[in-house]
Amino acid sequence: MVKQERAVRTRNTAVRAAASEFYRAGYGGTSLKAISQAAGISMGAVTFHFDSKAELAEAVAEEGCSAVRSALDDAAGRRRGKALDDLGSLLLELARLLRDDVTVRASAHLARELPDIEDWTTLWHPVVAGLAQEAHERGELHAPADPASVTALVAHLLWGAEATLRGAYPDGEGAALDQLEGVWLLVLEGIGPDSA
Protein backbone atom coordinates (compact mmCIF):
# COMPACT_ATOMS: atom_id res chain seq x y z
CA MET A 1 0.00 0.00 0.00
CA VAL A 2 2.83 2.41 0.84
CA LYS A 3 4.47 1.66 -2.54
CA GLN A 4 1.22 2.46 -4.34
CA GLU A 5 0.82 5.75 -2.48
CA ARG A 6 4.41 6.68 -3.26
CA ALA A 7 3.88 5.81 -6.93
CA VAL A 8 0.78 8.01 -7.06
CA ARG A 9 2.65 10.89 -5.39
CA THR A 10 5.57 10.49 -7.81
CA ARG A 11 3.23 10.47 -10.79
CA ASN A 12 1.40 13.57 -9.52
CA THR A 13 4.70 15.33 -8.89
CA ALA A 14 5.80 14.57 -12.45
CA VAL A 15 2.52 15.86 -13.89
CA ARG A 16 2.70 19.11 -11.89
CA ALA A 17 6.34 19.67 -12.83
CA ALA A 18 5.55 18.94 -16.48
CA ALA A 19 2.66 21.41 -16.38
CA SER A 20 4.97 24.11 -15.02
CA GLU A 21 7.63 23.38 -17.63
CA PHE A 22 5.16 23.17 -20.55
CA TYR A 23 3.63 26.45 -19.45
CA ARG A 24 7.00 28.13 -19.00
CA ALA A 25 8.85 26.84 -22.06
CA GLY A 26 6.16 25.36 -24.28
CA TYR A 27 5.98 21.79 -25.49
CA GLY A 28 8.87 22.14 -27.92
CA GLY A 29 11.09 23.84 -25.36
CA THR A 30 10.56 21.23 -22.66
CA SER A 31 12.50 18.01 -22.27
CA LEU A 32 11.90 15.00 -20.04
CA LYS A 33 15.20 15.87 -18.38
CA ALA A 34 13.93 19.36 -17.51
CA ILE A 35 10.73 17.83 -16.11
CA SER A 36 12.72 15.33 -14.08
CA GLN A 37 14.88 18.11 -12.63
CA ALA A 38 11.90 20.38 -11.91
CA ALA A 39 10.09 17.52 -10.16
CA GLY A 40 13.15 16.52 -8.16
CA ILE A 41 12.74 12.90 -9.23
CA SER A 42 14.89 10.63 -11.35
CA MET A 43 14.50 10.27 -15.09
CA GLY A 44 13.73 6.60 -14.43
CA ALA A 45 10.81 7.58 -12.19
CA VAL A 46 9.43 9.87 -14.90
CA THR A 47 9.76 7.27 -17.65
CA PHE A 48 8.33 4.55 -15.39
CA HIS A 49 5.04 6.48 -15.39
CA PHE A 50 5.21 8.06 -18.85
CA ASP A 51 6.68 6.52 -21.99
CA SER A 52 7.13 9.87 -23.73
CA LYS A 53 6.86 13.62 -23.45
CA ALA A 54 3.66 13.40 -25.53
CA GLU A 55 2.10 11.02 -22.99
CA LEU A 56 3.05 13.40 -20.20
CA ALA A 57 1.51 16.33 -22.09
CA GLU A 58 -1.71 14.32 -22.45
CA ALA A 59 -1.73 13.65 -18.70
CA VAL A 60 -1.26 17.37 -18.00
CA ALA A 61 -4.10 18.30 -20.37
CA GLU A 62 -6.31 15.61 -18.86
CA GLU A 63 -5.74 16.90 -15.33
CA GLY A 64 -6.30 20.52 -16.37
CA CYS A 65 -9.48 19.66 -18.26
CA SER A 66 -10.70 17.61 -15.30
CA ALA A 67 -10.36 20.73 -13.11
CA VAL A 68 -12.34 22.71 -15.68
CA ARG A 69 -15.09 20.06 -15.75
CA SER A 70 -15.32 20.21 -11.95
CA ALA A 71 -15.59 23.99 -12.02
CA LEU A 72 -18.34 23.78 -14.66
CA ASP A 73 -20.24 21.23 -12.56
CA ASP A 74 -19.88 23.43 -9.46
CA ALA A 75 -21.07 26.48 -11.41
CA ALA A 76 -24.11 24.58 -12.66
CA GLY A 77 -24.97 23.70 -9.06
CA ARG A 78 -24.72 27.34 -7.96
CA ARG A 79 -27.02 28.86 -10.58
CA ARG A 80 -28.67 31.99 -9.20
CA GLY A 81 -31.41 32.29 -11.77
CA LYS A 82 -30.14 35.25 -13.77
CA ALA A 83 -28.15 33.91 -16.72
CA LEU A 84 -26.06 37.04 -17.16
CA ASP A 85 -24.97 36.93 -13.50
CA ASP A 86 -24.15 33.24 -13.86
CA LEU A 87 -22.15 33.99 -16.99
CA GLY A 88 -20.09 36.61 -15.12
CA SER A 89 -19.50 34.22 -12.22
CA LEU A 90 -18.38 31.49 -14.61
CA LEU A 91 -16.02 33.87 -16.41
CA LEU A 92 -14.36 34.82 -13.12
CA GLU A 93 -14.20 31.20 -11.93
CA LEU A 94 -12.46 30.12 -15.15
CA ALA A 95 -10.01 33.00 -14.79
CA ARG A 96 -9.34 31.93 -11.18
CA LEU A 97 -8.60 28.43 -12.42
CA LEU A 98 -6.13 29.84 -14.93
CA ARG A 99 -4.46 31.79 -12.15
CA ASP A 100 -4.44 29.09 -9.47
CA ASP A 101 -4.04 25.77 -11.29
CA VAL A 102 -0.89 25.23 -13.33
CA THR A 103 -2.43 22.24 -15.13
CA VAL A 104 -5.25 24.45 -16.43
CA ARG A 105 -2.77 27.11 -17.60
CA ALA A 106 -0.61 24.44 -19.22
CA SER A 107 -3.65 22.81 -20.85
CA ALA A 108 -4.65 26.10 -22.43
CA HIS A 109 -1.08 26.60 -23.65
CA LEU A 110 -0.64 23.03 -24.91
CA ALA A 111 -3.92 23.15 -26.86
CA ARG A 112 -2.43 25.91 -29.01
CA GLU A 113 0.74 23.92 -29.68
CA LEU A 114 -0.64 20.40 -30.06
CA PRO A 115 -3.75 20.11 -32.24
CA ASP A 116 -4.56 16.57 -31.06
CA ILE A 117 -4.62 17.39 -27.36
CA GLU A 118 -7.87 18.06 -25.50
CA ASP A 119 -8.63 21.78 -25.64
CA TRP A 120 -10.09 23.33 -22.50
CA THR A 121 -12.05 25.78 -24.68
CA THR A 122 -14.26 22.96 -25.96
CA LEU A 123 -15.38 22.36 -22.38
CA TRP A 124 -16.43 25.87 -21.33
CA HIS A 125 -17.41 27.40 -24.68
CA PRO A 126 -20.73 25.51 -25.03
CA VAL A 127 -21.67 26.42 -21.44
CA VAL A 128 -20.89 30.09 -22.08
CA ALA A 129 -22.89 29.97 -25.34
CA GLY A 130 -25.82 28.37 -23.51
CA LEU A 131 -25.82 31.04 -20.80
CA ALA A 132 -25.60 33.81 -23.42
CA GLN A 133 -28.55 32.28 -25.30
CA GLU A 134 -30.53 31.96 -22.07
CA ALA A 135 -29.78 35.59 -21.16
CA HIS A 136 -31.00 36.63 -24.61
CA GLU A 137 -34.21 34.60 -24.32
CA ARG A 138 -34.93 36.06 -20.87
CA GLY A 139 -34.44 39.62 -22.07
CA GLU A 140 -31.32 40.12 -19.95
CA LEU A 141 -29.30 41.47 -22.89
CA HIS A 142 -29.46 44.95 -24.34
CA ALA A 143 -31.32 44.84 -27.66
CA PRO A 144 -28.26 45.03 -29.98
CA ALA A 145 -26.35 42.34 -28.04
CA ASP A 146 -26.75 38.88 -29.54
CA PRO A 147 -25.74 35.56 -27.92
CA ALA A 148 -22.95 34.82 -30.44
CA SER A 149 -21.29 38.19 -29.82
CA VAL A 150 -21.59 37.81 -26.04
CA THR A 151 -20.05 34.33 -26.29
CA ALA A 152 -17.18 35.70 -28.39
CA LEU A 153 -16.71 38.55 -25.90
CA VAL A 154 -16.40 36.14 -22.96
CA ALA A 155 -13.94 34.00 -24.93
CA HIS A 156 -11.81 37.06 -25.70
CA LEU A 157 -11.90 38.14 -22.07
CA LEU A 158 -10.67 34.72 -20.98
CA TRP A 159 -7.92 34.68 -23.58
CA GLY A 160 -6.95 38.18 -22.44
CA ALA A 161 -6.85 36.99 -18.82
CA GLU A 162 -4.59 34.15 -19.89
CA ALA A 163 -2.29 36.59 -21.70
CA THR A 164 -2.20 38.80 -18.59
CA LEU A 165 -1.30 35.82 -16.43
CA ARG A 166 1.45 34.85 -18.88
CA GLY A 167 3.06 38.21 -18.25
CA ALA A 168 2.11 39.81 -21.54
CA TYR A 169 0.89 42.78 -19.54
CA PRO A 170 2.86 44.53 -16.80
CA ASP A 171 0.33 44.18 -13.96
CA GLY A 172 0.56 40.37 -14.05
CA GLU A 173 -1.09 37.80 -11.82
CA GLY A 174 -2.05 39.96 -8.89
CA ALA A 175 -4.24 42.31 -10.87
CA ALA A 176 -5.57 39.97 -13.56
CA LEU A 177 -8.77 38.97 -11.77
CA ASP A 178 -9.45 42.46 -10.46
CA GLN A 179 -9.02 43.83 -13.97
CA LEU A 180 -11.26 41.15 -15.44
CA GLU A 181 -13.97 41.79 -12.85
CA GLY A 182 -13.81 45.52 -13.59
CA VAL A 183 -13.97 44.94 -17.33
CA TRP A 184 -16.96 42.61 -16.90
CA LEU A 185 -18.83 45.23 -14.86
CA LEU A 186 -18.08 47.76 -17.59
CA VAL A 187 -19.28 45.32 -20.25
CA LEU A 188 -22.56 44.82 -18.37
CA GLU A 189 -23.27 48.52 -18.81
CA GLY A 190 -23.18 47.97 -22.56
CA ILE A 191 -24.86 44.57 -22.97
CA GLY A 192 -27.26 44.60 -20.02
CA PRO A 193 -30.90 45.59 -20.46
CA ASP A 194 -31.87 49.26 -20.60
CA SER A 195 -32.41 50.54 -17.06
CA ALA A 196 -34.86 53.22 -18.19
Side-chain angles (χ1 to χ4, degrees):
M1 190 63 146
V2 172
K3 274 188 174 182
Q4 277 183 324
E5 290 172 5
R6 187 170 42 223
V8 168
R9 275 196 314 271
T10 301
R11 184 185 189 283
N12 290 340
T13 299
V15 169
R16 288 279 173 190
S20 293
E21 290 299 306
F22 288 142
Y23 183 66
R24 184 186 64 74
Y27 182 80
T30 299
S31 66
L32 285 176
K33 181 179 179 182
I35 293 167
S36 166
Q37 289 174 340
I41 58 178
S42 71
M43 179 68 86
V46 173
T47 57
F48 174 79
H49 292 283
F50 302 98
D51 291 335
S52 66
K53 182 170 75 168
E55 192 176 304
L56 197 42
E58 286 176 21
V60 168
E62 185 178 298
E63 188 167 322
C65 287
S66 177
V68 172
R69 283 187 198 91
S70 273
L72 292 172
D73 289 345
D74 290 347
R78 287 191 311 265
R79 293 283 313 263
R80 291 184 273 173
K82 194 168 180 193
L84 204 51
D85 288 343
D86 292 333
L87 183 56
S89 294
L90 179 60
L91 168 66
L92 293 174
E93 180 57 31
L94 291 170
R96 264 188 222 90
L97 270 178
L98 278 170
R99 181 194 65 193
D100 298 341
D101 190 329
V102 69
T103 64
V104 174
R105 286 194 307 275
S107 294
H109 188 74
L110 286 168
R112 288 192 302 273
E113 285 188 88
L114 305 172
D116 294 334
I117 210 150
E118 186 173 18
D119 185 350
W120 82 303
T121 305
T122 63
L123 302 175
W124 57 260
H125 197 273
V127 178
V128 166
L131 286 170
Q133 182 63 41
E134 186 180 330
H136 175 71
E137 290 168 1
R138 291 180 171 190
E140 295 176 20
L141 299 180
H142 189 278
D146 65 275
S149 296
V150 171
T151 301
L153 173 68
V154 170
H156 284 279
L157 289 172
L158 273 173
W159 294 327
E162 183 191 355
T164 300
L165 290 167
R166 281 196 62 74
Y169 296 100
D171 294 333
E173 270 185 37
L177 283 179
D178 290 339
Q179 288 173 355
L180 185 59
E181 192 167 8
V183 168
W184 181 249
L185 291 173
L186 185 62
V187 163
L188 288 177
E189 292 294 319
I191 66 171
D194 290 327
S195 56

